[in-house]
Amino acid sequence: MDKLKKFFSSPLEVLEKLFGTAKENVGFLLVSVLIVALILGAAYGAEFYLAKKNHTTRRNDRLKVHRMTLIALLSAIAFTLMMFDFPLWFLPGFYKIDLSELPVLIASFTLGPVAGVTTEFLKVFLNVLIQGTGTAFIGEFANFLIGCAFIVPASVVYYSRKTKKNAVVGLILGTLTCIVTGCFMNAYVLLPAYGKAFHMEIENLVAMGTEKNGLISGMFSFVVFAVAPFNLIKCVVTGGITMLIYKKISHLLKGRE
């Protein structure tokens, strides 16, 4: 309900809060923009290489319009799904799971890694624009970065040769990349940045995990027993649903391509 109330809150109020938060966290935002650009560049490079290798024909104007329309549609669906999240009983309350990566993964499988990164970015951008940020942009950046760590490797492998085997291999690789990236970034970047932004000691954040899971006693056990399982569950659920439905809906998504 809180998410829905925020959705209907005054856009002007949200923008004012966003500008205020941005001023207080300029350094983190600049680094985030740089990383977003690097991820997009890497996705574009991979897609360009695969297109050249597979002798893919250049897109005509009709296909470009179809591509933009599909990205916009899937981004809107991803944003909507992002509002319906729920906590897991063994994790601290600030880790909540949702199905917003599902449309993003479908976009990347259908249109390639660049479309996947674009959809991921638009999903997060819409969420910030409409609902604001309660994490000084740190949670939103984490959502984008770790989401890309999953969908980019998965889509690159699948896009190299579109077979069921490659889809499974890509999802496994994407899951492993997502888990490793999530653990590293939480331990060395995201949790320290969150603690700094909200004047909290790292030990206090770890203690929130200990309250939910007795196996957590320090940062290492936090990422092993909280961050890793969270990303594993999210990737397995997203990948599993995609494998079940993608073949059935792919012809509708691709249109007359």
Side-chain angles (χ1 to χ4, degrees):
M1 290 300 296
D2 291 338
K3 296 252 180 175
L4 292 175
K5 287 178 182 177
K6 282 186 177 181
F7 183 83
F8 292 106
S9 64
S10 168
L12 186 58
E13 290 179 7
V14 172
L15 287 174
E16 287 177 353
K17 290 179 181 178
L18 282 178
F19 283 127
T21 305
K23 288 179 181 178
E24 296 172 1
N25 217 7
V26 174
F28 183 82
L29 280 176
L30 291 175
V31 173
S32 300
V33 170
L34 177 60
I35 293 176
V36 169
L38 290 173
I39 291 173
L40 186 59
Y44 181 84
E47 192 169 306
F48 179 82
Y49 170 78
L50 291 174
K52 189 174 181 180
K53 180 182 177 182
N54 297 332
H55 305 290
T56 304
T57 55
R58 188 176 180 181
R59 300 186 187 96
N60 58 38
D61 290 338
R62 182 183 64 80
L63 294 183
K64 288 179 181 178
V65 172
H66 173 77
R67 178 184 178 89
M68 289 187 292
T69 303
L70 191 55
I71 289 174
L73 174 63
L74 291 171
S75 298
I77 295 173
F79 158 69
T80 303
L81 290 175
M82 196 176 182
M83 293 195 296
F84 299 95
D85 56 18
F86 56 91
L88 296 173
W89 74 94
F90 62 94
L91 296 177
F94 51 85
Y95 285 120
K96 294 182 180 181
I97 197 166
D98 59 59
L99 293 177
S100 64
E101 298 304 334
L102 179 59
V104 180
L105 183 60
I106 290 173
S108 65
F109 271 19
T110 306
L111 302 171
V114 173
V117 173
T118 305
T119 306
E120 184 75 49
F121 175 80
L122 289 175
K123 175 198 79 173
V124 175
F125 178 76
L126 285 171
N127 184 69
V128 171
L129 187 64
I130 294 175
Q131 298 193 89
T133 176
T135 63
F137 298 105
I138 297 165
E140 290 76 20
F141 173 71
N143 190 289
F144 171 82
L145 177 64
I146 297 173
C148 286
F150 174 53
I151 61 105
V152 170
S155 61
V156 168
V157 173
Y158 178 68
Y159 221 61
S160 65
R161 189 178 180 187
K162 295 186 176 183
T163 64
K164 187 175 182 178
K165 179 181 177 181
N166 268 23
V168 173
V169 172
L171 289 172
I172 292 172
L173 178 61
T175 299
L176 293 174
T177 305
C178 178
I179 291 172
V180 172
T181 302
C183 289
F184 178 83
M185 290 300 294
N186 272 273
Y188 295 105
V189 179
L190 299 173
L191 289 176
Y194 189 86
K196 182 179 179 181
F198 291 93
H199 309 291
M200 295 177 64
E201 297 294 332
I202 297 296
E203 290 76 13
N204 294 335
L205 294 173
V206 173
M208 293 173 68
T210 306
E211 290 178 4
K212 295 285 186 177
N213 188 340
L215 295 172
I216 297 173
S217 59
M219 181 56 75
F220 179 77
S221 56
F222 185 92
V223 298
V224 171
F225 295 114
V227 179
F230 172 78
N231 288 318
L232 175 62
I233 291 170
K234 190 169 185 177
C235 290
V236 169
V237 171
T238 301
I241 295 175
T242 300
M243 291 298 295
L244 287 174
I245 69 172
Y246 182 71
K247 198 69 177 177
K248 298 175 183 178
I249 65 173
S250 60
H251 66 287
L252 296 174
L253 297 172
K254 293 174 183 177
R256 294 169 58 189
E257 291 186 56

